[in-house]
Amino acid sequence: MKIKIIVIVGPTAVGKTALAIEVAKRFGGEVVSGDSQQVYRGLDIGTAKASPEEQATVPHHLIDVREMTESYSAFDFVSEAKKAIEDIQRRGKLAIIAGGTGLYIQSLLEGYHLGGETPHEEIVAYRASLEHYSDEELAHLVKQAGLEIPQFNRRRAKRALEIAHFGQDLENQETLYEPLIICLDDERSQLYERINNRVDLMFEAGLLDEAKWLFDHYPNAQAAKGIGYKELFPYFRGEQTLEEASESLKQATRRFAKRQLTWFRNRMQVTFYQIGESGVKEHILSQIEEFLDD
């Protein structure tokens, strides 16, 4: 029997952490971070980690699990998230995946094996190429490849074509989970205002010192390439004013949020919830309760 899990995704600053903690409190759950940057120790403000007070209210997993000098990949996430979910489920708790790194979460939910010889970039590029086909065209490609898909749908068709294309590098593993995927969104101007306010609050909390420490000690680390830090490096090099760097960070974050929404809309089967609408949180909690009781 598949493990039921709750998955909360969406763009940065939309409120995923707060909702995940509320869901965990109400349904006896624990949070598994689905964020590629929150794994690094010492990077707290720019990655928007749950605060120590928030982490004290419910257990969190896959936060602060890597040193600054280490790399982290989708394969690492899938391997470690599986272990965390199994541990949570074994203790009779509900696993709640919360984060905005679409590739990581999709790889976990759809059972992709990312440890083969084919570079991840090739797999992702092929996956993206299939998005341009209509349902009829996908069905034709499936037929041409000699594949059989019971109860045809786009997701199964793309999955079968990827397996046929890459062979054993994907190792068609059946997913272990039955997820309820909740994608938070907001009216665009409200979301951008949230992002701008978050950046301002990050500066007040000490983002500049955190980014300067990263710039001085680990400027070439994988972690330094994340949004929230690299936009401030031109300021440290004397190439921009602080005001210019701050605006650059806000703009980069807004663009990142747009890319996140595009990923969840086009590559995953999600239900969107407008977080700014009246009563939406109660509706989400009701949906979760029905899902768990079913």
Side-chain angles (χ1 to χ4, degrees):
M1 188 171 66
K2 293 185 178 182
I3 301 172
K4 287 190 175 185
I5 61 174
I6 306 300
V7 181
I8 300 173
V9 298
T12 186
V14 78
K16 298 183 294 293
T17 296
L19 179 61
I21 290 173
E22 184 164 349
V23 171
K25 287 180 178 179
R26 177 158 176 171
F27 297 101
E30 300 183 9
V31 178
V32 179
S33 171
D35 187 283
S36 61
Q37 289 291 98
Q38 293 183 359
V39 298
Y40 293 107
R41 301 183 186 98
L43 298 186
D44 302 329
I45 301 170
T47 63
K49 286 178 188 171
S51 67
E53 293 77 18
E54 288 174 321
Q55 292 189 45
T57 60
V58 298
H60 282 66
H61 302 263
L62 302 194
I63 291 178
D64 296 334
V65 295
R66 286 292 189 279
E67 297 295 343
M68 203 68 60
T69 53
E70 296 180 289
S71 62
Y72 195 72
S73 68
F75 179 70
D76 295 324
F77 170 75
V78 170
S79 300
E80 296 176 19
K82 282 183 176 179
K83 292 178 182 177
I85 294 170
E86 289 170 5
D87 174 59
I88 293 168
Q89 195 260 350
R90 187 168 52 248
R91 291 183 284 104
K93 301 292 185 178
L94 172 67
I96 302 152
I97 316 298
T101 305
L103 173 61
Y104 285 16
I105 296 173
Q106 184 183 14
S107 298
L108 173 71
L109 298 182
E110 299 192 3
Y112 290 119
H113 173 74
L114 300 176
E117 295 180 358
T118 302
H120 299 171
E121 293 79 8
E122 289 186 26
I123 297 174
V124 172
Y126 181 77
R127 196 175 296 166
S129 72
L130 296 178
E131 297 292 342
H132 301 293
Y133 292 104
S134 67
D135 288 357
E136 292 74 16
E137 289 169 331
L138 282 175
H140 181 66
L141 290 175
V142 167
K143 185 176 180 180
Q144 277 187 326
L147 304 172
E148 294 185 5
I149 303 177
Q151 298 179 338
F152 177 92
N153 62 38
R154 287 187 65 85
R155 188 177 185 182
R156 290 178 177 175
K158 290 185 292 182
R159 174 72 166 158
L161 289 168
E162 288 172 14
I163 298 299
H165 186 80
F166 292 105
Q168 293 305 308
D169 275 347
L170 283 181
E171 293 184 8
N172 190 9
Q173 297 177 346
E174 180 67 22
T175 177
L176 303 172
Y177 312 113
E178 180 185 349
L180 175 63
I181 308 177
I182 296 161
C183 187
L184 301 182
D185 195 6
D186 203 351
E187 194 275 324
R188 192 56 52 91
S189 64
Q190 292 296 318
L191 178 61
Y192 286 174
E193 184 177 350
R194 284 171 175 265
I195 289 170
N196 293 340
N197 289 339
R198 170 181 275 188
V199 171
D200 290 337
L201 290 172
M202 284 178 170
F203 274 105
E204 292 177 13
L207 174 62
L208 202 60
D209 291 338
E210 189 174 271
K212 184 61 163 62
W213 175 82
L214 185 61
F215 176 79
D216 289 340
H217 295 90
Y218 305 102
N220 299 314
Q222 177 179 325
K225 297 178 175 62
I227 293 175
Y229 300 102
K230 60 185 175 61
E231 292 80 12
L232 299 179
F233 286 9
Y235 167 69
F236 300 138
R237 292 193 293 263
E239 300 167 358
Q240 287 185 342
T241 66
L242 181 57
E243 183 178 356
E244 289 171 334
S246 174
E247 183 52 41
S248 176
L249 173 54
K250 290 177 180 179
Q251 184 180 66
T253 308
R254 294 193 297 268
R255 289 174 175 171
F256 176 55
K258 187 176 180 179
R259 292 196 301 273
Q260 288 175 300
L261 284 168
T262 298
W263 183 289
F264 295 125
R265 185 177 295 111
N266 295 339
R267 302 193 183 187
M268 294 178 62
Q269 293 183 336
V270 305
T271 301
F272 282 89
Y273 295 86
Q274 296 295 315
I275 197 66
E277 292 182 358
S278 176
V280 69
K281 186 182 297 183
E282 291 74 16
H283 179 58
I284 291 172
L285 294 173
S286 176
Q287 292 289 102
I288 293 173
E289 188 169 15
E290 289 180 15
F291 170 75
L292 295 176
D293 289 342
D294 185 13

